[in-house]
Amino acid sequence: MTDEKESLRRWRLILGGDEADGTQYQLSDLDSQIDDALSALYDFERKRNFNYGQNGGGGGSGGNGSSSPSVARWLGDIRKYFPQSVVQVMQGDALKHPELQQKLMLEPEILEQATPNVHLVASLMELGKLIPSKTKDTARRVVQQVVEELMDKLEQKTVQAISGAINRSVRNKRPRYNEIDWNTTIKKNLKNYLPEYKTIIPEIRVGFGRKNKRSLKDIVLCLDQSGSMGASVVYSGIFGAVMASLPQITTQMVVFDTEVVDLTEDLKDPVELLFGVQLGGGTDINKALGYCQEIINKPDDTILIMITDLYEGGNQVQMRKRIVELSESGIQIICLLALDDSGAPSFDKDNAKFLSTLGIPVFACTPDLFPDMMAAAINRQDMSAWASQNDIVLKGSNS
């Protein structure tokens, strides 16, 4: 009889209460508390709330407050009721719910167990000032780990692509010995190979060009920090930091919502830069472009990368006027609707079409292709042809 009773108890805890319960088993006070902890998580999808510990348990109506005492209480109780292996499974299951994820990420123990990735960093940026002091150190470590992984993956390719593009743009045919581009020179002189000496006569020498103390290109990253641009903000911060380390170019980063913030000084520390971004809020592209107009002083040698979904919450007429002025001044403008791996998001098709009529390419770009895109832009390649070669669909003309 005892075994049957224990079996009913276990089935009751597995099935949960209400209409799911077919056991008719009456739980003890302790088991009721365990059941509340299980129901708070595993009934969440059905009830769409997580008011654990309020009104005596996991039920009740949901709220959208930034602080989550119910989550902290739930975390404490599951540690009390279950072994560590089960606690980890339950925490992992909770993190699968986007609605719970943000609440849970305010707790350092959850953040330490989460898999660090771009989207997790974007979620932390969206939480911003809501992150409590007890969690900030953990959040910074998570961001640091993601930044280091991305730098390892993207830095070398970016440096090679952009430095190569700059070097090609200033090559000369009479280089000094320390300026010779040996790979290109060898290819140009393969026909002059002397087998008896096993060497090539460098009849044609190709050089990288003499170094110039003045930057050869100015790059301005104008970055929309509305909530939908989270992953793009992370990648933009990484690429901005890498480009800022190259002496041949000057890189500036401007982020905006309804206000404009210049984060150029933070490019030397991408972790600090990402913590300086506050995702969410409105969008005033016009104001951001106005600031860019003020800081650009070499229009013919400037590439302006707008990273935005083009939804304007400010003055759209003035925004379009500014874009025309920037384009006619000689600034090379590229609009990226996204800089991540998820493809083109929802975007303002009318504004995309307007930019397209000005000859401004509008498309989404993956992080892997961004270095090549910058190299193509530096060399003034036809960006429509470049996009076609890389199977990228330009938006605007056919949107």
Side-chain angles (χ1 to χ4, degrees), residues 90-288:
M90 293 178 71
Q91 290 176 344
D93 288 343
L95 284 170
K96 294 176 183 177
H97 296 286
E99 301 94 328
L100 285 179
Q101 191 179 71
Q102 286 196 353
K103 292 178 181 291
L104 289 164
M105 283 194 306
L106 297 175
E107 303 297 328
E109 69 172 88
I110 293 292
L111 199 52
E112 287 171 354
Q113 295 178 24
T115 301
N117 55 42
V118 169
H119 299 290
L120 181 60
V121 173
S123 296
L124 289 172
M125 290 191 300
E126 192 168 357
L127 287 171
K129 294 178 181 178
L130 296 178
I131 299 176
S133 55
K134 67 177 181 179
T135 311
K136 284 183 178 178
D137 286 343
T138 306
R140 184 172 288 275
R141 287 197 300 271
V142 169
V143 174
Q144 180 75 49
Q145 182 176 341
V146 173
V147 166
E148 289 176 354
E149 290 175 356
L150 289 177
M151 291 288 279
D152 288 343
K153 177 183 177 182
L154 301 171
E155 183 175 20
Q156 184 176 0
K157 182 178 180 181
T158 304
V159 170
Q160 288 177 343
I162 295 178
S163 295
I166 289 290
N167 289 334
R168 285 190 295 273
S169 70
V170 295
R171 277 196 175 133
N172 66 79
K173 296 294 180 67
R174 299 180 63 184
R176 297 173 182 174
Y177 180 81
N178 63 348
E179 296 169 348
I180 294 176
D181 177 354
W182 286 108
N183 287 332
T184 304
T185 297
I186 290 170
K187 290 177 183 178
K188 290 281 187 181
N189 290 280
L190 286 175
K191 62 182 179 180
N192 299 326
Y193 179 68
L194 299 179
E196 62 270 28
Y197 294 105
K198 296 183 179 180
T199 190
I200 289 173
I201 302 300
E203 186 178 44
I204 300 171
R205 291 179 296 163
V206 180
F208 289 124
R210 294 176 176 83
K211 293 182 179 179
N212 193 328
K213 293 182 179 179
R214 184 178 69 90
S215 67
L216 299 169
K217 282 287 182 182
D218 288 354
I219 295 172
V220 179
L221 298 173
C222 185
L223 180 59
D224 183 342
Q225 60 176 351
S226 57
S228 61
M229 304 295 290
S232 298
V233 171
V234 177
Y235 282 116
S236 298
I238 299 299
F239 284 120
V242 173
M243 291 190 294
S245 70
L246 298 175
Q248 307 100 317
I249 60 177
T250 297
T251 303
Q252 295 171 280
M253 175 166 281
V254 177
V255 300
F256 67 93
D257 42 38
T258 54
E259 298 299 326
V260 181
V261 181
D262 193 324
L263 294 180
T264 301
E265 288 299 315
D266 289 331
L267 285 172
K268 59 183 179 292
D269 183 355
V271 175
E272 192 64 34
L273 183 146
L274 292 178
F275 269 99
V277 171
Q278 178 64 62
L279 288 180
T283 308
D284 196 331
I285 303 173
N286 173 55
K287 184 181 288 186

Side-chain angles (χ1 to χ4, degrees), residues 1-53:
M1 187 69 179
T2 302
D3 289 344
E4 180 181 347
K5 192 172 182 181
E6 177 61 18
S7 179
L8 284 172
R9 170 183 172 272
R10 290 173 179 267
W11 274 111
R12 168 61 184 80
L13 290 171
I14 291 170
L15 294 171
D18 302 328
E19 65 273 13
D21 179 20
T23 66
Q24 303 302 313
Y25 182 82
Q26 295 297 313
L27 296 174
S28 66
D29 288 344
L30 176 60
D31 283 344
S32 293
Q33 294 170 24
I34 294 174
D35 187 53
D36 285 342
L38 291 167
S39 297
L41 172 59
Y42 295 108
D43 281 352
F44 175 78
E45 194 163 347
R46 178 171 60 89
K47 295 182 178 179
R48 310 314 300 176
N49 66 75
F50 196 90
N51 281 346
Y52 178 76

Side-chain angles (χ1 to χ4, degrees), residues 258-319:
T258 54
E259 298 299 326
V260 181
V261 181
D262 193 324
L263 294 180
T264 301
E265 288 299 315
D266 289 331
L267 285 172
K268 59 183 179 292
D269 183 355
V271 175
E272 192 64 34
L273 183 146
L274 292 178
F275 269 99
V277 171
Q278 178 64 62
L279 288 180
T283 308
D284 196 331
I285 303 173
N286 173 55
K287 184 181 288 186
L289 291 177
Y291 181 80
C292 291
Q293 278 183 308
E294 295 175 4
I295 64 175
I296 292 173
N297 52 39
K298 297 190 303 179
D300 289 336
D301 291 319
T302 297
I303 302 172
L304 172 61
I305 309 293
M306 298 171 56
I307 306 173
T308 175
D309 54 18
L310 292 175
Y311 286 112
E312 171 64 319
N315 188 327
Q316 179 162 284
V317 173
Q318 184 63 26
M319 177 198 77

